[in-house]
Amino acid sequence: MAVLFFQGNNQMLEMKAKEWGWSPAVMVLLEFIHCSFYVISMFAMVGYVTGVWEENVDLGKMEWVYADAMLCNFEEVVPEQKVRAVKQGVMDATKSVALDEQYGLEIAVVKKAAEHDRRWRQNKAWSTLLAHMGGFAAISAGGAMQHLETFKRNPLLAFLPVVITTIVLFVLFQMTGILRNKLKEDARTSGRPGKRAIMVHEIISEAENDILALAISF
């Protein structure tokens, strides 16, 4: 999916560049801007899904959820009164079963931070998609740079775009690193545990590793 999204956007960019008569050097710059757009979008989306901006939902709240992955209600929240362990007074239990009254089935349930895990999965999906698109944009930028007259004279000069692309990405990652550190500092000064800031940091760090790995692979 990331390849299809990126190719569609990149082909539109190249078509407009030819239509408006932009030089190859300008196209390289646009490719880097294209890559930066995905990095910024990734940070914004992960921050939004995580809820780092003005949200009071408790991500650490422990809830009982269905644990059978073969059922359509997998990881839906289960009312406590349906859980056998709660009925028996075992309040420190983390695994039990709940009765499905409609079908008369006993379904495995677990107690965990359901909202935290749900947002983690959503963030992984968005970050993977946008990180791969950003990586492909970085590959395109480096490849376009290699075709400039300055760099295609000999193999040594042709290797320089790899280094330049890596430096550009490191600059972008330093910028997101400053924002991530600010989120953690804000949580610390306000006395919050910083679960959202930690989630953003871990998700973005892993996604940036993916971008860098893709970028230097060309």
Side-chain angles (χ1 to χ4, degrees), residues 2 30 48 50 52 61 81 87 89 139 147 151 167 174 180 197 202 213 216:
L30 289 175
Y48 172 75
T50 306
V52 293
K61 182 181 179 181
Q81 61 268 24
K87 291 179 180 179
I139 290 173
H147 284 83
F151 298 104
I167 292 173
Q174 285 297 314
R180 285 183 270 130
E202 293 179 355
I216 64 178

Side-chain angles (χ1 to χ4, degrees), residues 67-74:
D68 191 338
M70 299 298 292
L71 299 179
C72 64
N73 58 1
F74 176 58

Side-chain angles (χ1 to χ4, degrees), residues 198-216:
I198 293 172
M199 186 186 298
V200 170
H201 176 76
E202 293 179 355
I203 293 290
I204 295 296
S205 296
E206 186 173 343
E208 288 176 348
N209 287 337
D210 287 347
I211 293 174
L212 186 60
L214 283 170
I216 64 178

Side-chain angles (χ1 to χ4, degrees), residues 36-203:
S36 302
F37 171 77
Y38 293 130
V39 175
I40 295 169
S41 298
M42 178 178 66
F43 187 92
M45 180 57 70
V46 170
Y48 172 75
V49 172
T50 306
V52 293
W53 297 293
E54 303 297 331
E55 188 185 70
N56 297 316
V57 176
D58 182 10
L59 297 187
K61 182 181 179 181
M62 302 297 288
E63 298 176 291
W64 288 99
V65 297
Y66 291 112
D68 191 338
M70 299 298 292
L71 299 179
C72 64
N73 58 1
F74 176 58
E75 295 217 326
E76 285 185 9
V77 176
V78 183
E80 285 194 349
Q81 61 268 24
K82 290 187 177 182
V83 179
R84 178 186 293 174
V86 176
K87 291 179 180 179
Q88 295 175 346
V90 187
M91 305 310 295
D92 60 345
T94 57
K95 295 181 180 180
S96 186
V97 294
L99 179 65
D100 186 323
E101 298 174 352
Q102 182 177 359
Y103 298 104
L105 298 174
E106 285 190 339
I107 304 172
V109 295
V110 295
K111 192 175 186 180
K112 63 179 185 177
E115 184 64 17
H116 178 279
D117 291 356
R118 183 184 70 82
R119 296 191 187 203
W120 181 276
R121 289 194 303 273
Q122 288 183 347
N123 277 330
K124 288 294 293 182
W126 281 111
S127 65
T128 300
L129 174 64
L130 291 168
H132 287 181
M133 294 173 72
F136 296 143
I139 290 173
S140 184
M145 197 187 309
Q146 283 182 324
H147 284 83
L148 295 178
E149 290 295 332
T150 304
F151 298 104
K152 67 180 184 180
R153 296 173 184 173
N154 61 63
L156 182 60
L157 289 174
F159 179 74
L160 283 180
V162 179
V163 179
I164 295 172
T165 301
T166 304
I167 292 173
V168 171
L169 289 176
F170 272 126
V171 171
L172 283 173
F173 298 163
Q174 285 297 314
M175 293 170 61
T176 63
I178 292 171
L179 295 175
R180 285 183 270 130
N181 289 334
K182 187 178 185 306
L183 290 176
K184 290 190 285 187
E185 184 62 29
D186 289 345
R188 190 181 301 111
T189 54
S190 61
R192 293 181 281 111
K195 286 185 173 66
R196 291 175 174 80
I198 293 172
M199 186 186 298
V200 170
H201 176 76
E202 293 179 355
I203 293 290

Side-chain angles (χ1 to χ4, degrees), residues 13 23-36 141 144-145 148:
L13 185 63
S23 67
V26 173
M27 191 62 198
V28 171
L29 177 62
L30 289 175
E31 292 286 9
F32 278 120
I33 295 173
H34 192 191
C35 175
S36 302
M145 197 187 309
L148 295 178

